[in-house]
Amino acid sequence: MAVVKAVTCPVCGCLCDDIELTIRNGKIVKVKNGCAMCESKFLSHKNEHRILKPLIRKNGEFVEVSLEEATRKAAEILTKANYPILYGWSSTSCEATRVGLELAEEIGGVIDNTAVVCHGPSILSIQDVGISSCTLGQIRHRADLVVYWGSNPWSAHPRHIERYTAFSEGRFQKSAWKGYLTKVKASAAKKKIESALRRVLFRKKAFVSPKPRKGPPPTLFKEGRKLIVVDVRKTRSAEISDCFLQVEPNKDYELLQALRALINEQEIDVDEVAGIPVEYLEEIADLMIGCNFGVLFFGVGLSMSKGKLRNVDAALSLVRDLNMRTKFVIMPMRGHFNVTGVDTVFTWQTGYPYAVDFSLGYPRYNPGETSVVDILLRGESDAALIVASDPVASFPKKVAEQLVKNPLIVIDPHMSATTRMADVVFPSAFVGIEASGTAYRMDHVPLPLKKVVNPPNGVLPDEEILKRILVEVKKLKEKRLVEAA
Amino acid sequence: MFKMINLYPLKKFRFPVIAECVSPDVFQGKNQKEIEELEIWEGNKQKRLGELFKVEETRKEQETIITVCGDVSKVRRIGAYMTSGEITINGDVGMHLGEEMEGGKITVHGNVGGWTGSMMKGGTIEIHGNASHYLGAPYRGSNRGMRGGKIIVYGNVGNEAGAYMRKGLIKIYGKAGQFAGSRMHNGTIHVQKDSEGRVGACMTGGKIVVEGFLESVLPTFTIESIKKKVKIEEKIVEGPFYLFLGDLTENGKGKLYVSKEKNPQLSSYEKLL
Amino acid sequence: MDIAIKDGKIVERVDELRARKIYASGMIVMPGGVDIHCHIAGSEVNTGRLLRPEDHFRDFERKTPKTRSGVGYSVPSTFTTGYRYARMGYTTIMNPSMPPLEAKHTHEELNDTPMVDKGTYPLLGDWWFVLEYLKKGEIEECARYVAWMITSTKGYAIKIVNPGGLEAWGSGGNVGSIDDQVPYFGITPREIVRGLCKVNKLLNLPHTIHVHTNNLGKPGNYLTALDTMKCVEDLASEDKPAIHITHCQFSAFKGSDWRTLKSGAEEIARYVNNHSHVTLDMGQVIFTDTTTMTADGPFQYTLHELSGNKWVNHDVETETSSGIVPFRYRRKSYVHAIQWSIGLELALLIKDPWKIFMTTDHPNAGPFIFYPRIMAWLMSRKAREAVLNRINRRARNRSLLPSIDRELGFYEIAIVTRAGQAKALGLKNKGHLGVGADADVAIYNVNPETIDPSRKYKTVRKAFRQAAYTVKGGETVAKNGEILKHVKGTTMWLDVQVSEPIKITEEMKRRFREYWTVEYENYPVTEKYLEVSHPITVKANV
């Protein structure tokens, strides 16, 4: 039995690196420090529907083949294609992505990562306005105002609040954990009373909860760290916050712009924006200006709702404007554990973070034109390689249909919806569990991914599989050149 | 030696075709054979123009006129950088039509893709169908929007038409998507029908006229007055219009005219006047 | 005269019958170029790339059978960076600002930067450990931690940026002079610079401390630059430099505001001419559109306010900050024209070419591809006049350049572009063609015996733009602008050996966890991150 310390968790963009794993007989038997998502990933990776042998579809059926045969088949598909796409990447290592980029260049394909369906719009806005940001430790040490906008860390990034923000203990800022405990106790008591009342009154309409408060709650003016949540519905994160702003669906842009005007001390003609009275917003604006160090985290609730990139544009501009008055930073809540790393590798090799088109022999970038979802929507691609992603399950139906219409190669540890539709399948090792590598946290801090157990026999890491395909592609191209000559 | 060249696509394209060479400036002084030899990309394969299009040389003209007949909705960058001459397209056409164009005229009898007239400096683009997103808008990350010329669309347009515009005119006879004229500095956008909203977001100057329905004006615009009419390039458009100024977030002095008649829901602003 | 090369080194002689020969008669043969300060890799550079698609979409390089594709202009992608340096005959480059926490990123990019040997400097001037030990006066303990840090991040030198100012910027503040207190830590920039200068000496590092001064980019800051140089005067020994002031142009502003801005080059040059403990590099302004990026967060914010351009800020916990702002230097702008003049004035007024080196602080004052232009300006009064005639008139009237006749010769150019830089960096095998040197050679197609660079500066400029041959480690890697071979190049780093290294106790790990948000075990850059690792062992006196 062995205990491995300081393991990086390959689940979400938080990339917690304090996980302790107990390993017995080549199996992970205990996970310490991790959240529920982390535990389930480490404990169940072996039990999922693993594929153990490369597969090729022959006459409509999967047939187990040798790695060499699968590699040759994949290389043939990719070299023949006129406009192949290479998609996924956010759940694999930077090292694998590096090889993927060379492969994309070699075959003149379009390479794109999952940013295109989550924070791609955020990147476009960063390219328009820039971004005032920092690493997460800076927030832990200094932030006295934490805002989550359109993101629900309690569920999607479970340790974010305790490790990096409101409940973490920093050098210049103390944890707001205690206040939260009091609050939870109070709310638990309130719930008990409510349910008791309901029981007594036989669920009649006797208990009317008070109308939503139209002004800021008193907790907003407490000492110490404050937590504000802005969302279209009351999430778990909203429940623990000091102040919850409920924005009308698809009105984030208006709300953000109104806040910008207010912090620039402009008068607003209307009385209410996005369902919130302007006087209330003035209080919020004052609070933002008055803090010593504020931070705004935003999720796909902002980048994928109506207005998309322009919502983020407004949020970035708001934070930029706030820096005239105080210190303020902003950060997207990245989902997949290495989506930040993949953007980073794309950028250093090609100059662009996602949606890179090599069809003319050099990198071109224009999301909307060179992004995989749009390419599929227009039916332009004629082959695809998917790495560590399940687009058939996550893309809109029409897009997914287009994907499976053409030759499809999948590199994945398990039998996903996409794998099931593939023509060539390479089983791969779980990076961060069965293979090592590097991943970047949502704040661009690179962290090592550890190999803690061996992959199933004969199963290779993504990086190795891609390298083999690349070698085969080069061989094929050379052969064709010789034949042509 | 100017002439008229007709291009006929030889097939229905499936892969993106990058055809920067289809421009009067490039064709000028070249004979049919030379035009057929021009470089063009289909997907990741480099081809000759003649492999994808039938090239037909007709009569002599005052200037180089190119006519494209057929569906070229996958063909991108036609007329990019053009400075003179004419292109007429009978059919739908792909993205980046007339990108960074400086002069001449492009007429499309069909729909156009995104980034039509992107970063254009002069000339005219006339579209008889619909236009997609980013009409006249700049490339990603750039703030150099349209700096001159005229874009006329008889159909509807997508989002962010005229973003970062600095000069020139965009006239839309149909409806406009969200964020028309976002971050514009100067120039004019005229929408004859409805707009999806967020018009003039972050604009600092220039003029936007919406003659149709506009559900709401951004909260960061402030009502200035009611105008009977508005002048667009020597022409008078009869109102009355609500005149809003904005965008406050950028200390903007942009003018947003919204039809009073079509927008009774905005009447609450009148009490502020 | 022949130069013999064998196994990547310059040797006494080789078997002439068997050797491959390059006929370079009538050409200039120099050691490969050395760049002491250019931002080419790591978090801020990459964010600069991400920020500016509009900067590179027109300037691209297609894939060839031998090279990878990429994009260029002010922040080129990694492969393109390597190729473009190699085409100019450069073979060694130093990436000057690496946030230690993000060191892995820098090294991953350096691995993908081909054709050149490279090194990188960790940012240590605002690191909490440094501030705390210096405050307590524990220089030796501080030195042990710095040694640990340099080795752990695979760094090459101590980089100090706006000492104290970056820690203050973490909460939105800054420091205004070298004697301002850093909030909370109760230490001054002077104490930080002096402390790290002593540490540098205790550790026997090959390069001096590499300093970006306080108040950078502010009118009147030439006094801060002078103060910074003076504050380590007594720490210098045996005529050896003790401090390198980088991109000095940005720290040589006289005047009380932008309107009254003047050049402080004369004063700085006078000081440097009279002292031997300072080296400088130019940070020469090029009139073009570029991307500014430094660890100096507050300076970048000011630049954003001045220009209204998009702005990126990235503060790094317990260590440093950084900022990025696109910027265009315009000939007709008074301030920019004065800045252009200051860089050249410094290079020409400082008499000893071994003290001032040619840089643009790429890409801050301009992209490195413009080096040949600067060489021409340094070599030809006529070239300078051609620009002077086209700049802002008020700036022209105030420029000292018309009063300077000095024109550098080819020999001096070789010093300011390679020999001097290599010497300042303590790179014994670079910057010269003596026996034992690395076989990094640049051959330029210009005949010094027939071409007068003063008059024919355009010819010279053209020759420097594209080396006839670039030889890296004994292999011809570029010829007349064509890359013949994609070679990796090494990453040089210091393995600093102290007699009593710091102990990694549980207590230390706890402190680590308190300061940073990562575990101690995951912090260091292991050697496997370096594709071609070149450790240089340094024996410290502590």
Side-chain angles (χ1 to χ4, degrees):
Chain A
M1 202 172 84
V3 174
V4 191
K5 286 187 176 181
V7 176
T8 308
C9 164
V11 177
C12 77
C14 280
L15 226 57
C16 306
D17 71 331
D18 61 343
I19 311 299
E20 261 183 57
L21 299 177
T22 309
I23 292 153
R24 192 183 293 144
N25 301 331
K27 246 191 116 176
I28 302 166
V29 293
K30 198 175 146 200
V31 182
K32 208 178 134 190
N33 294 342
C35 67
M37 294 197 295
C38 165
E39 279 183 21
S40 103
K41 172 117 187 189
F42 277 117
L43 292 177
S44 66
H45 76 276
K46 283 254 155 98
N47 312 337
E48 290 179 57
H49 303 280
R50 288 297 288 265
I51 319 164
L52 300 169
K53 282 269 190 270
L55 305 169
I56 290 185
R57 192 177 295 278
K58 289 181 181 165
N59 303 323
E61 296 288 318
F62 274 138
V63 181
E64 284 191 3
V65 293
S66 68
L67 188 59
E68 290 68 32
E69 190 180 343
T71 312
R72 218 173 307 124
K73 179 79 183 162
E76 263 168 34
I77 292 173
L78 293 173
T79 41
K80 243 188 346 204
N82 286 294
Y83 204 55
I85 55 180
L86 298 86
Y87 178 79
W89 311 104
S90 315
S91 295
T92 188
S93 66
C94 292
E95 288 80 355
T97 308
R98 244 178 114 199
V99 185
L101 280 156
E102 189 173 354
L103 179 62
E105 187 188 86
E106 197 63 49
I107 60 172
V110 179
I111 185 164
D112 200 355
N113 62 61
T114 61
V116 74
V117 290
C118 59
H119 276 291
S122 315
I123 293 174
L124 294 178
S125 294
I126 291 170
Q127 289 168 341
D128 275 338
V129 257
I131 182 168
S132 163
S133 198
C134 64
T135 63
L136 289 163
Q138 199 73 351
I139 291 158
R140 192 177 83 189
H141 288 305
R142 300 175 204 256
D144 59 346
L145 177 64
V146 180
V147 184
Y148 287 97
W149 196 307
S151 87
N152 182 8
W154 193 266
S155 310
H157 299 84
R159 295 181 71 205
H160 197 264
I161 302 178
E162 80 180 63
R163 255 174 86 79
Y164 308 119
T165 71
F167 297 164
S168 67
E169 187 88 8
R171 185 164 190 161
F172 310 117
Q173 283 294 330
K174 300 297 158 212
S175 167
W177 178 247
K178 274 192 194 138
Y180 165 67
L181 283 182
T182 331
K183 200 172 149 184
V184 169
K185 276 182 203 148
S187 94
K190 193 171 141 215
K191 271 190 191 144
K192 265 185 202 157
I193 296 168
E194 278 177 35
S195 66
L197 276 171
R198 267 201 302 275
R199 261 179 277 125
V200 172
L201 299 167
F202 303 103
R203 289 190 193 141
K204 275 184 197 163
K205 225 182 92 187
F207 188 82
V208 186
S209 64
K211 276 192 107 181
R213 207 195 315 264
K214 278 291 183 186
T219 39
L220 203 51
F221 306 104
K222 66 170 196 183
E223 286 294 306
R225 271 187 167 148
K226 296 172 199 70
L227 178 64
I228 299 180
V229 171
V230 188
D231 215 321
V232 289
R233 60 180 185 283
K234 192 157 188 176
T235 58
R236 284 298 300 276
S237 309
E239 279 169 24
I240 60 157
S241 69
D242 296 308
C243 172
F244 168 54
L245 277 181
Q246 188 158 15
V247 54
E248 270 177 33
N250 292 322
K251 288 282 183 197
D252 298 85
Y253 186 80
E254 280 74 10
L255 185 57
L256 284 161
Q257 286 289 85
L259 280 171
R260 284 185 66 199
L262 291 173
I263 69 145
N264 291 333
E265 290 176 347
Q266 302 271 14
E267 291 286 331
I268 288 185
D269 281 2
V270 290
D271 307 324
E272 203 181 86
V273 178
I276 301 165
V278 169
E279 294 102 56
Y280 188 171
L281 288 181
E282 277 168 352
E283 299 270 8
I284 300 288
D286 283 345
L287 192 80
M288 284 177 153
I289 294 167
C291 76
N292 293 318
F293 187 116
V295 54
L296 195 160
F297 290 100
F298 64 96
V300 285
L302 197 62
S303 64
M304 280 291 155
S305 65
K306 189 182 165 191
K308 284 193 162 184
L309 70 159
R310 292 304 157 213
N311 294 339
V312 181
D313 184 323
L316 295 168
S317 304
L318 169 68
V319 169
R320 183 196 63 197
D321 294 353
L322 277 162
N323 273 281
M324 280 189 285
R325 317 291 293 272
T326 181
K327 178 91 183 180
F328 226 100
V329 294
I330 179 167
M331 198 183 295
M333 297 286 280
R334 307 300 299 260
H336 295 281
F337 73 89
N338 196 25
V339 66
T340 312
V342 172
D343 287 346
T344 305
V345 185
F346 271 52
T347 309
W348 86 56
Q349 287 210 353
T350 72
Y352 308 114
Y354 68 109
V356 179
D357 182 337
F358 283 107
S359 63
L360 303 194
Y362 61 90
R364 284 187 310 135
Y365 162 83
N366 190 17
E369 178 184 1
T370 61
S371 37
V372 154
V373 177
D374 300 274
I375 287 169
L376 287 169
L377 212 54
R378 292 191 300 262
E380 286 165 354
S381 64
D382 60 348
L385 168 71
I386 308 294
V387 181
S389 177
D390 191 7
V392 169
S394 60
F395 278 179
K397 190 160 167 274
K398 204 183 148 201
V399 180
E401 276 170 11
Q402 196 57 42
L403 180 71
V404 301
K405 233 190 237 173
N406 295 303
L408 177 63
I409 306 158
V410 176
I411 304 178
D412 208 293
H414 42 54
M415 214 18 125
S416 65
T418 309
T419 324
R420 269 177 237 285
M421 307 300 290
D423 297 287
V424 185
V425 179
F426 293 88
S428 68
F430 271 107
V431 69
I433 303 176
E434 300 165 344
S436 60
T438 309
Y440 283 56
R441 206 163 67 180
M442 61 167 72
D443 57 350
H444 285 92
V445 172
L447 284 162
L449 299 167
K450 282 201 175 91
K451 175 182 174 178
V452 286
V453 294
N454 284 322
N457 259 345
V459 171
L460 299 175
D462 299 326
E463 186 188 356
E464 185 55 38
I465 297 165
L466 287 160
K467 274 184 180 160
R468 287 175 185 227
I469 298 177
L470 178 63
V471 167
E472 196 62 33
V473 161
K474 284 184 178 169
K475 250 194 253 168
L476 264 180
K477 276 179 75 179
E478 220 158 274
K479 208 171 115 198
R480 259 181 227 161
L481 268 180
V482 173
E483 278 169 10
Chain B
M1 278 325 276
F2 301 111
K3 56 196 147 206
M4 183 149 164
I5 306 285
N6 292 342
L7 297 177
Y8 302 89
L10 290 172
K11 60 176 173 188
K12 188 168 166 47
F13 298 120
R14 172 174 176 196
F15 310 114
V17 174
I18 310 292
E20 223 164 86
C21 63
V22 180
S23 156
D25 299 70
V26 179
F27 282 14
Q28 194 181 317
K30 290 194 174 66
N31 62 30
Q32 185 178 336
K33 190 103 202 349
E34 286 167 327
I35 291 172
E36 281 173 353
E37 287 301 315
L38 287 168
E39 177 189 308
I40 189 166
W41 287 80
E42 185 189 21
N44 55 17
K45 308 281 187 289
Q46 195 181 339
K47 305 247 162 106
R48 292 174 301 111
L49 184 66
E51 287 178 78
L52 301 185
F53 289 90
K54 187 177 111 190
V55 181
E56 187 182 86
E57 194 180 314
T58 55
R59 56 176 198 274
K60 304 255 181 291
E61 279 286 341
Q62 289 301 310
E63 51 181 4
T64 308
I65 297 178
I66 302 172
T67 309
V68 184
C69 305
D71 178 8
V72 283
S73 54
K74 298 280 181 205
V75 184
R76 299 178 189 163
R77 305 189 69 78
I78 291 180
Y81 313 111
M82 76 185 257
T83 61
S84 64
E86 253 183 68
I87 301 179
T88 304
I89 298 159
N90 297 314
D92 293 349
V93 57
M95 297 177 217
H96 304 283
L97 173 75
E99 183 161 299
E100 296 194 62
M101 144 177 201
E102 289 177 22
K105 187 173 180 191
I106 300 178
T107 312
V108 183
H109 299 280
N111 302 325
V112 300
W115 291 274
T116 293
S118 170
M119 300 180 275
M120 106 187 235
K121 293 174 196 153
T124 308
I125 301 180
E126 210 176 290
I127 299 148
H128 290 268
N130 300 326
S132 188
H133 304 309
Y134 297 102
L135 181 74
Y139 178 66
R140 301 290 180 192
S142 168
N143 58 12
R144 295 166 82 77
M146 188 166 158
R147 274 170 286 168
K150 208 186 275 188
I151 304 180
I152 301 156
V153 185
Y154 292 96
N156 305 325
V157 306
N159 295 340
E160 305 210 16
Y164 290 97
M165 185 168 184
R166 284 156 192 265
K167 214 179 154 191
L169 172 72
I170 296 182
K171 175 148 186 170
I172 301 157
Y173 283 87
K175 297 179 190 166
Q178 283 188 66
F179 291 104
S182 81
R183 292 194 189 271
M184 76 189 269
H185 303 284
N186 211 334
T188 309
I189 300 178
H190 181 187
V191 185
Q192 276 210 337
K193 289 199 178 136
D194 308 346
S195 160
E196 266 183 61
R198 292 164 178 177
V199 183
C202 296
M203 75 194 286
T204 56
K207 192 195 285 180
I208 305 179
V209 180
V210 181
E211 287 196 70
F213 176 70
L214 173 65
E215 193 191 343
S216 68
V217 173
L218 284 172
T220 49
F221 276 73
T222 170
I223 185 96
E224 172 73 10
S225 59
I226 296 174
K227 296 275 183 193
K228 280 213 186 82
K229 56 196 172 201
V230 56
K231 201 168 144 191
I232 299 173
E233 280 204 334
E234 313 308 317
K235 271 195 211 132
I236 304 289
V237 182
E238 291 294 335
F241 292 101
Y242 292 116
L243 167 59
F244 293 91
L245 296 183
D247 185 327
L248 294 180
T249 55
E250 303 285 335
N251 292 317
K253 300 279 179 289
K255 290 181 178 142
L256 171 60
Y257 294 86
V258 187
S259 161
K260 180 170 185 291
E261 196 183 312
K262 297 272 174 60
N263 295 288
Q265 79 285 4
L266 297 180
S267 63
S268 61
Y269 279 100
E270 282 173 36
K271 66 176 190 279
L272 296 168
L273 287 169
Chain C
M1 193 190 126
D2 292 339
I3 293 169
I5 292 172
K6 197 180 176 186
D7 299 332
K9 294 277 177 192
I10 294 185
V11 292
E12 203 77 57
R13 62 177 65 83
V14 287
D15 180 352
E16 274 193 44
L17 290 173
R18 286 176 49 216
R20 235 171 36 79
K21 296 180 192 71
I22 295 174
Y23 295 98
S25 52
M27 298 190 192
I28 289 189
V29 181
M30 287 190 188
V34 180
D35 199 336
I36 197 168
H37 190 109
C38 56
H39 299 257
I40 53 143
S43 133
E44 64 186 28
V45 176
N46 210 41
T47 312
R49 290 186 190 111
L50 180 142
L51 182 67
R52 302 208 64 196
E54 82 283 11
D55 172 75
H56 27 256
F57 80 112
R58 286 192 179 88
D59 181 13
F60 51 79
E61 297 208 0
R62 268 181 216 274
K63 171 186 161 46
T64 72
K66 296 212 172 78
T67 63
R68 299 285 303 273
S69 68
V71 293
Y73 213 62
S74 72
V75 215
S77 55
T78 50
F79 305 119
T80 304
T81 302
Y83 302 146
R84 289 190 174 179
Y85 263 111
R87 286 190 191 117
M88 292 196 310
Y90 272 71
T91 50
T92 306
I93 51 187
M94 289 288 169
N95 182 65
S97 83
M98 170 169 74
L101 179 61
E102 296 170 345
K104 290 185 195 76
H105 181 178
T106 309
H107 284 290
E108 287 189 286
E109 280 195 27
L110 289 179
N111 285 340
D112 269 348
T113 308
M115 319 305 283
V116 286
D117 293 335
K118 49 249 159 181
T120 175
Y121 316 150
L123 290 151
L124 299 176
D126 293 79
W127 180 28
W128 285 0
F129 279 61
V130 164
L131 301 186
E132 284 165 0
Y133 285 113
L134 291 183
K135 172 69 189 164
K136 282 191 272 183
E138 295 175 15
I139 293 283
E140 298 204 341
E141 194 62 8
C142 184
R144 282 187 198 101
Y145 277 97
V146 168
W148 173 83
M149 188 59 118
I150 291 179
T151 304
S152 296
T153 58
K154 303 289 174 278
Y156 188 83
I158 297 176
K159 176 77 186 293
I160 306 172
V161 173
N162 185 4
L166 306 191
E167 164 50 35
W169 178 245
S171 302
N174 197 358
V175 292
S177 85
I178 77 162
D179 292 312
D180 259 17
Q181 291 271 324
V182 180
Y184 188 85
F185 287 89
I187 189 170
T188 63
R190 178 191 298 274
E191 288 162 330
I192 299 170
V193 172
R194 281 183 64 82
L196 285 174
C197 189
K198 289 178 197 161
V199 164
N200 203 84
K201 222 164 136 188
L202 278 174
L203 296 179
N204 272 328
L205 303 185
H207 185 34
T208 59
I209 49 170
H210 195 97
V211 182
H212 159 136
T213 64
N214 300 110
N215 285 331
L216 185 119
K218 282 189 202 149
N221 66 6
Y222 80 105
L223 291 170
T224 315
L226 287 173
D227 284 345
T228 310
M229 293 186 242
K230 280 179 199 158
C231 91
V232 293
E233 221 175 276
D234 60 313
L235 300 178
S237 56
E238 312 151 30
D239 283 1
K240 274 215 317 230
I243 188 168
H244 180 83
I245 304 285
T246 189
H247 40 73
C248 192
Q249 171 271 128
F250 288 110
S251 302
F253 297 175
K254 212 159 123 182
S256 49
D257 56 30
W258 293 115
R259 227 170 31 79
T260 58
L261 182 78
K262 273 194 299 193
S263 164
E266 229 173 343
E267 286 81 352
I268 288 183
R270 193 178 310 130
Y271 181 84
V272 175
N273 284 336
N274 289 321
H275 293 82
S276 54
H277 69 289
V278 188
T279 56
L280 310 170
D281 65 86
M282 291 164 74
Q284 175 60 39
V285 161
I286 306 290
F287 295 116
T288 183
D289 190 32
T290 190
T291 312
T292 66
M293 52 181 70
T294 69
D296 196 343
F299 162 67
Q300 294 292 150
Y301 182 68
T302 315
L303 210 54
H304 154 67
E305 281 193 314
L306 278 174
S307 65
N309 292 341
K310 51 190 176 185
W311 164 60
V312 170
N313 181 73
H314 185 69
D315 298 341
V316 179
E317 62 209 57
T318 82
E319 293 171 358
T320 180
S321 73
S322 67
I324 304 161
V325 178
F327 202 80
R328 178 181 283 275
Y329 293 100
R330 295 171 196 277
R331 278 201 309 266
K332 295 297 176 193
S333 151
Y334 171 69
V335 172
H336 304 168
I338 288 279
Q339 282 185 272
W340 172 81
S341 183
I342 291 175
L344 292 172
E345 288 163 21
L346 282 168
L348 295 165
L349 292 173
I350 292 172
K351 290 179 194 144
D352 183 356
W354 295 93
K355 283 183 182 170
I356 178 143
F357 315 124
M358 191 193 81
T359 67
T360 58
D361 183 17
H362 163 82
N364 281 301
F368 66 83
I369 45 172
F370 289 102
Y371 284 174
R373 241 187 243 196
I374 308 176
M375 297 185 203
W377 289 331
L378 293 174
M379 297 184 87
S380 158
R381 205 189 137 95
K382 200 171 137 198
R384 300 196 285 267
E385 270 162 9
V387 180
L388 267 171
N389 288 336
R390 293 160 69 208
I391 63 170
N392 176 288
R393 214 173 69 196
R394 206 155 65 86
R396 180 165 68 230
N397 293 338
R398 289 199 174 184
S399 170
L400 303 176
L401 288 177
S403 66
I404 303 173
D405 290 326
R406 185 172 171 206
E407 290 176 332
L408 269 56
F410 285 109
Y411 197 74
E412 286 170 307
I413 284 292
I415 297 170
V416 301
T417 58
R418 45 264 284 162
Q421 315 219 14
K423 189 181 166 210
L425 287 165
L427 292 170
K428 296 203 169 65
N429 299 331
K430 307 274 185 200
H432 66 95
L433 294 172
V435 169
D438 291 343
D440 299 347
V441 187
I443 303 172
Y444 298 105
N445 194 358
V446 58
N447 191 338
E449 274 155 22
T450 56
I451 295 279
D452 174 9
S454 170
R455 284 189 304 118
K456 294 275 186 189
Y457 67 88
K458 281 186 185 159
T459 315
V460 173
R461 192 165 75 194
K462 202 170 148 231
F464 281 130
R465 201 172 288 153
Q466 230 170 55
Y469 296 90
T470 306
V471 177
K472 173 85 200 63
E475 290 180 284
T476 308
V477 293
K479 187 179 169 185
N480 294 322
E482 193 196 337
I483 301 296
L484 300 180
K485 191 168 184 202
H486 176 112
V487 293
K488 284 217 172 277
T490 65
T491 302
M492 301 173 284
W493 59 280
L494 302 183
D495 184 6
V496 188
Q497 298 186 344
V498 292
S499 54
E500 240 183 279
I502 54 161
K503 285 195 187 64
I504 305 302
T505 57
E506 279 308 309
E507 163 62 19
M508 168 68 187
K509 286 190 185 177
R510 190 192 54 75
R511 186 167 165 214
F512 208 91
R513 218 169 279 138
E514 255 174 41
Y515 280 23
W516 284 282
T517 48
V518 302
E519 297 293 302
Y520 165 78
E521 289 87 340
N522 294 326
Y523 190 91
V525 181
T526 50
E527 212 172 338
K528 81 171 173 43
Y529 269 98
L530 277 53
E531 273 189 357
V532 191
S533 171
H534 178 193
I536 296 168
T537 306
V538 175
K539 284 253 180 292
N541 294 342
V542 57

